[in-house]
Amino acid sequence: MKNLISFIQIFIFNTLAVLIAKYQCDCSLFLDELVCQEVDTCDWINELCVQKDCSKFNENECDLIQKCSLNSEGKCEATQFCSTYQVKDQIDCIIKKGNCAAENITNDAGFYQCKSYIPVDCNSLTDENCQNNYEDGQTFCWLNSTKQCQSYSINSCLGLPLDVCEKLNCKILSDVCSSFQCSDLTSQEQCTYVKNGYWGELTPCLWKVDSTPKCINRTDTSDLTIETCSKMTDGRYYWKNETCVSCPKNYDDQISSSFQLILFLICILHEL
Ligand SMILES: *[C@@H]1O[C@H](CO)[C@@H](O)[C@H](O)[C@H]1NC(C)=O
Ligand SMILES: *[C@@H]1O[C@H](CO)[C@@H](O)[C@H](O)[C@H]1NC(C)=O
Ligand SMILES: *[C@@H]1O[C@H](CO)[C@@H](O)[C@H](O)[C@H]1NC(C)=O
Ligand SMILES: *[C@@H]1O[C@H](CO)[C@@H](O)[C@H](O)[C@H]1NC(C)=O
């Protein structure tokens, strides 16, 4: 029985071995000033690590931070109503202006007006009215390869239509949209992490030095230090009790679901 349990434990640990991080830490979890300042979305103010104010993001960062958008004067501000934004490329209403839909024709100035979305069922839309609509904040409508309206998640690159693939920070490989992999990063400086699009899960990477140095999926965080833990994971891991652990959802600590699954299986096996 014991052998079976350890076999199953090893099996589970191995299949779950690649690290994945879903959630960004609340800035308050970064207790060290330097660590705090190295996380893009946080700022050290009055001896505390807090969410960075939109006005402190530069032009390139601004639009990709939830809650911040570049206004028409080029200043980064807290995202206003969708109707205050105009874009050159319709998909930017989604990507850059936080879940806005877009008009299907340009205005006199040649811009697409962003607009707030009314939730729709992508499958029920005609092909002409398909694009730049939403089912919810995470699911948008776009024409698929057979030019029919389909719903897609903004959190996953896999299978996205090729005309929006790269705009959502995904790559096209053999005519299929997929997420970047650690192996796509070819230098030690770049080898930090990859994300599934802009908003999907983060996979931490590791630079493996041998005869052919390469960037591979990271399988543990044991070599990360208080200085590198959050920096190397875009603030999705943090330093807790001398170890580098992934950030909890909703900022309160919870047992990870894989750990619960293991406990659950062990309990069942003990019952047998
Ligand atoms: C634009 O969308 C509206 C509905 O929102 C639709 O009536 C109209 O036909 C569409 N126009 C074009 C050019 O697709
Ligand atoms: C395109 O979308 C339609 C409707 O959602 C679906 O029936 C069809 O299988 C999709 N085509 C491809 C190639 O996925
Ligand atoms: C690395 O992790 C990704 C998940 O981000 C997974 O899809 C991929 O198959 C893994 N690659 C290897 C070589 O294990
Ligand atoms: C910190 O980790 C040690 C061993 O790694 C453990 O004994 C201790 O209970 C932990 N402390 C907290 C507060 O989790």
Side-chain angles (χ1 to χ4, degrees):
M1 193 67 229
K2 279 239 167 65
N3 284 345
L4 181 57
I5 292 172
S6 39
F7 168 76
I8 288 181
Q9 276 175 295
I10 288 165
F11 176 74
I12 291 171
F13 275 118
N14 279 346
T15 52
L16 296 173
V18 171
L19 303 181
I20 283 180
K22 240 178 155 158
Y23 308 110
Q24 186 88 34
C25 280
D26 185 75
C27 295
S28 64
L29 290 175
F30 305 122
L31 304 176
D32 181 273
E33 178 173 359
L34 286 177
V35 171
C36 172
Q37 282 170 344
E38 291 206 284
V39 176
D40 283 347
T41 52
C42 303
D43 210 359
W44 186 258
I45 295 177
N46 296 332
E47 302 296 303
L48 287 176
C49 192
V50 295
Q51 183 91 26
K52 197 188 271 187
D53 192 71
C54 289
S55 63
K56 295 197 178 165
F57 289 107
N58 70 31
E59 219 172 292
N60 300 324
E61 296 165 329
C62 179
D63 280 331
L64 299 176
I65 307 293
Q66 271 174 346
K67 300 189 172 75
C68 301
S69 293
L70 216 53
N71 68 19
S72 52
E73 279 109 55
K75 293 219 178 77
C76 193
E77 63 181 17
T79 302
Q80 313 280 321
F81 293 114
C82 290
S83 60
T84 53
Y85 299 110
Q86 297 181 357
V87 293
K88 270 282 173 209
D89 194 346
Q90 284 167 302
I91 188 88
D92 286 342
C93 287
I94 296 180
I95 301 176
K96 299 188 167 177
K97 309 301 173 190
N99 289 353
C100 296
E103 292 290 359
N104 54 8
I105 45 171
T106 54
N107 60 19
D108 293 343
F111 290 96
Y112 292 98
Q113 176 68 49
C114 297
K115 58 178 186 181
S116 50
Y117 71 94
I118 301 159
V120 293
D121 172 9
C122 300
N123 284 318
S124 72
L125 297 181
T126 63
D127 304 349
E128 299 79 46
N129 290 332
C130 173
Q131 297 189 168
N132 304 302
N133 284 301
Y134 271 99
E135 289 195 339
D136 57 50
Q138 309 289 306
T139 318
F140 67 100
C141 308
W142 212 260
L143 289 178
N144 67 17
S145 57
T146 51
K147 297 281 173 244
Q148 287 167 290
C149 199
Q150 195 176 323
S151 58
Y152 294 96
S153 165
I154 63 166
N155 295 316
S156 173
C157 294
L158 195 62
L160 285 182
L162 298 186
D163 55 336
V164 290
C165 178
E166 287 172 337
K167 288 178 184 154
L168 288 161
N169 201 28
C170 304
K171 68 168 179 181
I172 297 175
L173 181 69
S174 319
D175 282 340
V176 176
C177 187
S178 62
S179 54
F180 285 100
Q181 302 287 310
C182 294
S183 53
D184 293 322
L185 307 174
T186 51
S187 74
Q188 185 163 11
E189 283 89 70
Q190 291 176 323
C191 183
T192 51
Y193 57 83
V194 288
K195 274 197 223 170
N196 201 344
Y198 281 122
W199 298 283
E201 291 174 339
L202 175 146
T203 304
C205 307
L206 172 73
W207 187 249
K208 187 160 183 252
V209 185
D210 55 17
S211 54
T212 52
K214 54 181 168 295
C215 191
I216 59 170
N217 285 348
R218 179 177 274 284
T219 55
D220 68 72
T221 57
S222 56
D223 63 316
L224 294 177
T225 63
I226 185 169
E227 285 84 20
T228 55
C229 172
S230 303
K231 186 179 171 182
M232 295 288 282
T233 58
D234 196 29
R236 297 214 199 182
Y237 278 71
Y238 73 115
W239 194 248
K240 184 189 175 198
N241 193 17
E242 302 301 308
T243 48
C244 184
V245 298
S246 62
C247 301
K249 189 185 182 182
N250 297 331
Y251 320 139
D252 44 20
D253 288 19
Q254 57 186 11
I255 308 173
S256 81
S257 56
S258 59
F259 185 53
Q260 275 171 339
L261 176 68
I262 291 162
L263 284 182
F264 175 71
L265 284 173
I266 290 171
C267 290
I268 290 185
L269 288 169
H270 272 296
E271 297 292 309
L272 292 178

